[in-house]
Amino acid sequence: MACPRSASPWQDRAAPLRARLSTGLSSCSGFGSSGHVSQGEVLPGLFCQPPGLELLRSGCDMAEQNRPAPSSCDCFVALPPATASRAVIFGKNSDRPREEVQEVIYFPAATYTRGEKLQCTYIEVEQAERTHAVILSRPAWLWGAEMGANEHGVCIGNEGLWTKEPLGEEEALLGMDLVRLGLERGSSAQEALQAITALLERYGQGGSCKEEPTPFVYHNSFLLADRTEAWVLETAGRYWAAQRIREGTRNISNQLSIGTDITAEHLGLRRHAQGQGCWSGDGEFDFSKVFSLIHQPVRMEAAKARYCAGQKMLQQHAGSITAETIMDILRDKASGICVDSEGFRTTGSMVSILPQDPTSPCVHFFTATPDPSRSVFKPFVFVANVTPALKATSPSFGDEDPVRKVPRFQSRVDRRHQLYRAHQAALELMETSQEQGQKLQQTMRDLERQGLEAMKEMLAGGITLDLEELADLFFDCVDTEIKFYK
């Protein structure tokens, strides 16, 4: 059952946000028309347009020649003083099998009876007595999520890892299950980390991470953030190390990155490393050196280049990082951060604004469509009675779903939601008609800009809030985007 929720301090304000959005959006037209929203003057502050993002390659140990095709994810966080305002900015690209559909779905807070069981993607775990409201961007075939946020301003994204610890094909919790579990159970980044590590130690991680008969298995790293701090959590089997970040920037890209600066760890981590012959016990304990593979998979070699490129871009804009800065980084194809290769591509993207002022709402932007360079980031704000965006939600197949039948994934089903279908048609137009494609691309950017500017004014107190309109916000943006594609 859904839990009653107490009003946040900022919910006492009231006013026509939809009117603000629709005023600008109504002047947009479909790609078949000549009209478009005027870009106008760029506004300063949280959503100001940053300078052009150029990949800084000098001084970075990147294998530019014959670089392997990227095939996984990138997460970013910026905290004051690296940000342009007193807010934490979180972002992630989810890079997945090219034809996989990602949906954006909201689950309200709920209460459960003690002892209830929870069915995750493959296994059952004990259910919490209370779960927080969450908004998730997830591959439509599984229970967990690639990334998401909860009503308390906690954001989490995960990455695949390969370490010296053996990969078990035995079904356990997926890293994506742990993302959702952390969001549902953690009211802060640290509390979510504690929930994830407790579940990891108890149940382990394992099982195929792709919707295919041939298993694709990996361990996981996580980037967790809230209004005040961020954490990097990296795992090797059931073992883990975590690092707290209180200022500046941090990114993760499919490789171990925690060295000797360890804030928290599995109680048996060092003893296990010694027992496996990975560490002598002398000198400082470096998690990355101890558990990284000597011979890295090709995909992890590509991750090194992406990690370095992302780090350089964050450093380039330190002190002025905004939501748009992170969106531009997520759209950067030259670095491989925005993936568009034969087998993998960026199937969903997320950027969140977490103001340090607890009286201001957090704002989360999701694409719910592939390729952020040709997608629209749409805003979501947690309030009571959120309207489900069913047009960005994939169909359900119940017990007939191939993921629920054993042996798994012996057939395929069509998981495309309405927004995904409309967006795919738009991408085809962009690729076949340059003139119409350019008009459509401009319309998409104008639609996104209107949402960004409205959210900026809301956070600055320039417009007051109507809770009903906020409850419909993501639904309305999805619906408007689909209309532009027709």
Side-chain angles (χ1 to χ4, degrees), residues 194-206:
Q194 292 167 346
I196 289 173
T197 54
L199 290 160
L200 174 67
E201 291 181 18
R202 180 172 180 181
Y203 296 101
Q205 56 183 323

Side-chain angles (χ1 to χ4, degrees), residues 9-10 13 80 85-88 227-228 353-362 459:
W10 54 269
R13 311 169 194 168
S85 66
R86 294 198 61 78
V88 175
R227 293 176 185 264
T228 61
I353 314 302
L354 314 176
Q356 293 193 318
D357 179 357
T359 65
S360 294
C362 297
L459 291 174

